[in-house]
Amino acid sequence: MVTPAVKREAVAHLKAHLGLSERRACQIAGADRKMVRYRSQRAPDTALRGRLRDLANERRRFGYRRLFVLLRREGEASGVNRIYRLYREEGLTVRKRKARRKALGTRAPILMEARANARWSLDFVHDQFACGRRFRVLNVVDDVTRECLAAIPDTSISGRRVARELTALIERRGKPGMIVSDNGTELTSNAILKWCAEHKVEWHYIAPGKPMQNGFVESFNGRMRDEFLNETLFRNLAHARDLIAAWVADYNTARPHSALGYQTPAGFALNLTTAIARPAARDESSARRVIAQPAPKGVDQLPAPVATG
């Protein structure tokens, strides 16, 4: 018995079941009588607890750090330690997934220019409708700004369909410097090879069995699976398209991203574009601040690295 709460329970047990006096029960339990009689004077924080529960129910896979960022946006002045205490007391802790084994050794990062459209990553994620029919989603992610550029659900997505979607995306956003993907049949088809030659886009295929070489979109797929797909039941393809489009908009404009200093991807992209448009005469420290803005006060700073791979 170490903590005051445990000692109070022991004293109450001795008094209730053995009929001992409070003085004798405290002697046996090694507790101070003042500590046993103490009643907390801390404010109940009813409104803050309620808002924290509401946010946790809306964002079921968000931890206390992201919930703290959302509360700070709403004007809450409490620090991260207080939010963490209430988060634990309300039983809102997110269940952790089983960690995978990590490969040993060092890796040489691939340097990438800190600008939008420097590199895109593509990958597929799979799910199923309520009736059991399976469908897949083609995800396209900007590796620098972490924006989800496209999330296209369909029951079948061929290489020609991927080429058409990429053409439409380039018309809206501009041509990327490089596209990274795995070696799936849709992405190694003749349609994709012809598209790369026509649009003069460099396409890099990762090594077989090495998904972490495409880590940005793999990380996005994990967040999408954990926070959205596992929490949603899709009736049909039209329903899936509507919900996925709404989730992508929320991901880009509202969800705080820890790798970007808890900014949103859209906000980070805007700051990055503004910084690039400034005069070139700026010192190195200001250039680093453009790449990774500081986290809100109270949150551990996790700067986004320029080097990737």
Side-chain angles (χ1 to χ4, degrees):
M1 295 181 295
V2 179
T3 63
V6 175
K7 291 183 177 181
R8 291 192 191 99
E9 294 178 0
V11 171
H13 175 79
L14 293 174
K15 291 172 61 178
H17 292 80
L18 301 181
L20 300 180
S21 65
E22 182 183 88
R23 186 187 302 272
R24 180 57 179 161
C26 288
Q27 290 177 350
I28 295 175
D32 190 279
R33 294 177 66 189
K34 292 182 180 179
M35 180 269 292
V36 172
R37 295 182 178 183
Y38 175 77
R39 295 295 178 267
S40 176
Q41 303 298 319
R42 180 178 286 165
D45 298 319
T46 305
L48 180 56
R49 289 174 184 268
R51 183 54 184 158
L52 186 61
R53 286 195 301 269
D54 292 342
L55 287 175
N57 289 331
E58 294 174 7
R59 313 277 188 165
R60 295 170 58 89
R61 300 301 301 179
F62 275 22
Y64 74 94
R65 290 186 180 88
R66 283 195 174 90
L67 295 178
F68 165 73
V69 172
L70 296 180
L71 289 172
R72 182 58 63 88
R73 287 181 186 173
E74 298 177 358
E76 176 58 46
S78 300
V80 67
N81 291 335
R82 184 185 186 191
I83 298 300
Y84 178 66
R85 174 176 60 80
L86 299 179
Y87 176 83
R88 292 292 299 271
E89 291 177 359
E90 294 296 321
L92 303 176
T93 306
V94 178
R95 184 178 180 182
K96 294 183 180 180
R97 308 296 185 186
K98 185 178 180 180
R100 297 182 178 179
R101 291 183 178 180
K102 296 182 179 180
L104 300 177
T106 58
R107 299 180 178 86
I110 302 174
L111 297 180
M112 179 173 54
E113 186 178 357
R115 63 174 180 83
N117 291 345
R119 194 172 80 178
W120 294 355
S121 297
L122 275 70
D123 198 13
F124 291 95
V125 63
H126 300 260
D127 205 353
Q128 62 183 15
F129 302 121
C131 62
R133 186 183 183 185
R134 299 191 63 82
F135 70 96
R136 60 196 326 207
V137 184
L138 172 64
N139 289 328
V140 185
V141 176
D142 190 308
D143 292 353
V144 174
T145 65
R146 307 299 205 276
E147 293 174 283
C148 177
L149 307 182
I152 304 156
D154 211 331
T155 54
S156 177
I157 301 178
S158 63
R160 293 181 179 179
R161 173 70 181 281
V162 173
R164 291 198 304 269
E165 296 294 345
L166 289 177
T167 301
L169 185 58
I170 287 177
E171 292 175 356
R172 298 196 308 269
R173 186 178 175 89
K175 188 169 67 173
M178 177 188 292
I179 294 179
V180 181
S181 74
D182 58 18
N183 296 270
T185 56
E186 303 86 356
L187 305 177
T188 57
S189 62
N190 290 330
I192 293 297
L193 298 179
K194 180 180 178 181
W195 181 88
C196 291
E198 292 176 351
H199 291 79
K200 298 181 180 179
V201 174
E202 181 182 359
W203 196 295
H204 174 74
Y205 293 100
I206 65 174
K210 302 290 185 179
M212 280 312 301
Q213 293 182 5
N214 201 16
F216 290 102
V217 72
E218 293 287 351
S219 176
F220 174 81
N221 289 346
R223 301 284 76 75
M224 186 180 195
R225 172 74 62 191
D226 188 35
E227 299 175 9
F228 176 63
L229 296 180
N230 288 347
E231 304 291 329
T232 310
L233 187 64
F234 303 101
R235 296 192 299 269
N236 48 46
L237 185 58
H239 185 229
R241 284 172 175 164
D242 293 340
L243 294 185
I244 289 175
W247 184 84
V248 168
D250 178 81
Y251 180 90
N252 287 333
T253 60
R255 181 187 184 275
H257 202 300
S258 59
L260 303 178
Y262 289 93
Q263 299 180 86
T264 62
F268 178 78
L270 180 61
N271 294 337
L272 193 62
T273 303
T274 304
I276 293 176
R278 294 173 184 169
R282 64 180 189 274
D283 58 4
E284 183 181 355
S285 61
S286 65
R288 278 198 292 267
R289 286 195 296 271
V290 169
I291 294 171
Q293 298 293 334
K297 185 177 180 181
V299 176
D300 294 338
Q301 296 191 15
L302 300 173
V306 185
T308 62

